[in-house]
Amino acid sequence: MSKKSPQLRFEGFTDDWEERKLSSGLREYTDRVIVEDDKEYYQISVRNNFGGITLRGSKMGNKIGRKRQAKINLTKYPQTLIFTRQTVEQGGIGWVDKYCDGAIVTENMPTISLDTSVFSKHFLTNLFQTRIFYKNAILDNIEGGSAQIAIHESKFLSSTLLFPNLDEQEKIGQFFKQLDDTIDLHQRKLDLLKEQKKGYLQKMFPKNGAKVPELRFAGFADDWELRNVREICRISTGKSNTQDREEQGKFPFYVRSPIIEKSTKYLFDEEAVLTVGDGVGTGKVFHYVHGKYDLHQRVYRMFSFTHVNAKYFYYYFSKKFFDRVMAMTAKNSVDSVRLEMISDMEITIPQLEEQEKIVKILSTLDQQITLHQRKLDLLKEQKKGFLQTMFAK
């Protein structure tokens, strides 16, 4: 492996990559526009973390302060790259889609045209996400002494990086495009599952004041009963403090946030529904059924349920609890939830068999969500690895 070639290559490519300036295939253009007060203009946003470019709405010209703007011109420059001078360091860079054609941009968003006979668009898209690009095109161009980081397009375009021939660029670009398409597919599936769960949570529990839910399993017709939380379970708080946690502890230990840390001791070994009562994460609800654990002193534990499925209680509580209790929190220096706030809450419950059916469908969705999240995380990790090994340093 040469110093001027990547660790991982497609078969048939052996030549060293060559040093080239970005300006050899990227050129700035300015399609100047003088904003008129009685005309409507669309503006764009450049999302950080390579989130893409989107329209952020329209304004009448008399609402736009700077009258000298530039226009995106995809008719003349079909592959237009935009970055924001102040946020390119945070991944604020991307290609303009057709629906953004004609939108206006300020001087802080340079419009740059790609020569596709020199660089592959998809190759560049992924090159921008590599560490070597960040070092050579971003870090090396940040000027010291300024209060705000800003990279001028002239310095950006003068950056020198290693490039293969166009055929190899296309191969690499298409490989990452397929990987990105797969990641997008799993993200859409994950988002859909989360929306489905959100819909079920909305429809499978009665709305405030109602005695039955909008969506119900066949064979169930009785009204649901209204009970106080203190009538259906026991409630206690943890006793441990954050100083008690151990880096290499044997048992989980809930701190004030949704993060589980470790403890060397345990006090509890049973199913419970937990909610953070004070500080970061106040109002968050968790179902715990994994064995031995300890609790922070600001975490409430609900256990020993009577005629109620604990996981049903968790789903109901996580749906209803946050908004209702957060509206009643004792506002001191931080949000806090008192024991009586929880114990006095009313919960609507059906018979146990119907609770179990609700739990089954929501648990199945949770399992699918977890599975797709793991697949998505794995794909993203795989992409990180390929970005490290398929671009020359």
Side-chain angles (χ1 to χ4, degrees):
M1 182 183 69
S2 166
K3 291 183 179 179
K4 290 190 176 182
S5 64
Q7 180 182 343
L8 184 63
R9 297 184 83 172
F10 288 100
E11 186 177 355
F13 297 100
T14 58
D15 294 341
D16 284 349
W17 290 22
E18 297 179 356
E19 289 186 349
R20 297 186 193 174
K21 291 184 181 295
L22 289 174
S23 58
S24 64
L26 293 172
R27 293 179 177 84
E28 184 181 12
Y29 73 86
T30 302
D31 192 346
R32 182 64 64 199
V33 172
I34 303 300
V35 172
E36 300 178 36
D37 287 349
D38 59 350
K39 286 188 177 182
E40 184 180 28
Y41 297 89
Y42 283 90
Q43 298 174 303
I44 64 166
S45 291
V46 183
R47 294 177 178 172
N48 290 345
N49 299 314
F50 309 100
I53 293 173
T54 58
L55 290 174
R56 63 183 174 93
S58 63
K59 283 184 179 180
M60 294 301 295
N62 59 5
K63 300 293 184 181
I64 297 173
R66 294 183 179 180
K67 299 306 179 184
R68 286 173 59 84
Q69 302 272 337
K71 183 176 70 173
I72 297 168
N73 187 343
L74 297 186
T75 302
K76 192 172 181 181
Y77 308 100
Q79 301 298 341
T80 290
L81 178 73
I82 288 182
F83 67 82
T84 305
R85 290 175 179 171
Q86 289 81 8
T87 65
V88 65
E89 180 261 343
Q90 302 168 45
I93 184 171
W95 303 95
V96 179
D97 287 326
K98 290 181 179 178
Y99 71 92
C100 294
D101 190 22
I104 60 172
V105 294
T106 68
E107 61 183 8
N108 289 323
M109 296 181 185
T111 47
I112 299 169
S113 175
L114 168 66
D115 183 345
T116 55
S117 68
V118 178
F119 295 143
S120 159
K121 173 182 174 181
H122 297 305
F123 178 87
L124 285 178
T125 298
N126 290 281
L127 175 64
F128 295 155
Q129 299 173 47
T130 64
R131 293 178 183 175
I132 191 64
F133 173 82
Y134 184 77
K135 177 187 179 302
N136 287 18
I138 305 299
L139 287 183
D140 289 354
N141 290 323
I142 292 175
E143 296 182 0
S146 61
Q148 185 178 33
I149 291 173
I151 297 173
H152 196 274
E153 55 272 22
S154 61
K155 289 196 171 184
F156 175 85
L157 292 172
S158 67
S159 303
T160 300
L161 293 132
L162 288 168
F163 288 88
N165 62 46
L166 192 58
D167 285 344
E168 190 171 2
Q169 287 184 44
E170 293 286 357
K171 279 272 191 181
I172 295 169
Q174 284 303 313
F175 172 82
F176 277 102
K177 184 180 184 304
Q178 290 175 5
L179 185 55
D180 284 337
D181 288 345
T182 304
I183 289 172
D184 289 343
L185 177 63
H186 279 278
Q187 184 66 64
R188 288 195 296 272
K189 287 181 178 179
L190 180 62
D191 292 342
L192 178 60
L193 285 168
K194 288 180 177 179
E195 283 301 311
Q196 286 178 330
K197 180 183 175 182
K198 184 178 178 181
Y200 279 128
L201 286 172
Q202 290 288 338
K203 295 181 179 181
M204 294 184 74
F205 297 100
K207 291 182 169 58
N208 293 338
K211 294 183 178 180
V212 294
E214 180 182 343
L215 183 64
R216 206 166 186 190
F217 292 97
F220 298 98
D222 295 341
D223 286 352
W224 290 22
E225 295 182 7
L226 197 63
R227 300 280 188 88
N228 287 105
V229 169
R230 63 175 177 270
E231 297 178 297
I232 60 175
C233 68
R234 295 174 62 190
I235 308 175
S236 68
T237 59
K239 302 298 182 185
S240 299
N241 208 328
T242 51
Q243 288 85 353
D244 301 322
R245 68 177 184 265
E246 299 283 344
E247 290 295 328
Q248 302 299 323
K250 294 171 63 178
F251 308 108
F253 173 91
Y254 266 91
V255 294
R256 282 182 289 171
S257 71
I259 300 170
I260 301 176
E261 303 213 19
K262 293 289 184 177
S263 172
T264 54
K265 64 179 181 178
Y266 79 91
L267 294 176
F268 312 111
D269 189 7
E270 61 185 327
E271 184 177 21
V273 175
L274 312 176
T275 186
V276 182
D278 190 17
V280 179
T282 302
K284 299 294 184 182
V285 183
F286 310 89
H287 176 249
Y288 198 87
V289 69
H290 300 298
K292 299 172 182 177
Y293 59 97
D294 193 10
L295 287 183
H296 183 266
Q297 61 191 5
R298 293 188 178 92
V299 174
Y300 294 109
R301 177 176 71 114
M302 286 151 279
F303 62 105
S304 295
F305 291 89
T306 304
H307 305 300
V308 174
N309 182 299
K311 203 163 186 182
Y312 167 85
F313 181 84
Y314 158 73
Y315 283 124
Y316 185 98
F317 215 51
S318 60
K319 167 68 176 66
K320 302 281 189 178
F321 173 76
F322 188 79
D323 291 339
R324 288 169 61 182
V325 171
M326 292 303 287
M328 300 186 296
T329 54
K331 300 288 184 182
N332 298 314
S333 58
V334 295
D335 287 322
S336 60
V337 180
R338 298 193 183 103
L339 183 63
E340 61 269 21
M341 292 179 182
I342 299 174
S343 61
D344 289 343
M345 274 192 66
E346 292 180 327
I347 177 172
T348 312
I349 56 174
Q351 57 180 281
L352 194 59
E353 185 181 356
E354 190 171 2
Q355 293 178 38
E356 291 169 350
K357 283 186 174 291
I358 292 169
V359 166
K360 184 176 181 180
I361 193 169
L362 291 174
S363 293
T364 300
L365 274 174
D366 276 342
Q367 291 168 6
Q368 292 174 340
I369 287 169
T370 299
L371 178 62
H372 280 280
Q373 186 66 64
R374 285 175 181 164
K375 287 181 178 178
L376 186 62
D377 292 343
L378 178 60
L379 285 167
K380 289 179 178 179
E381 284 302 311
Q382 287 177 333
K383 180 177 178 179
K384 285 182 183 178
F386 285 128
L387 287 171
Q388 288 298 307
T389 57
M390 293 182 70
F391 290 87
K393 298 175 175 60

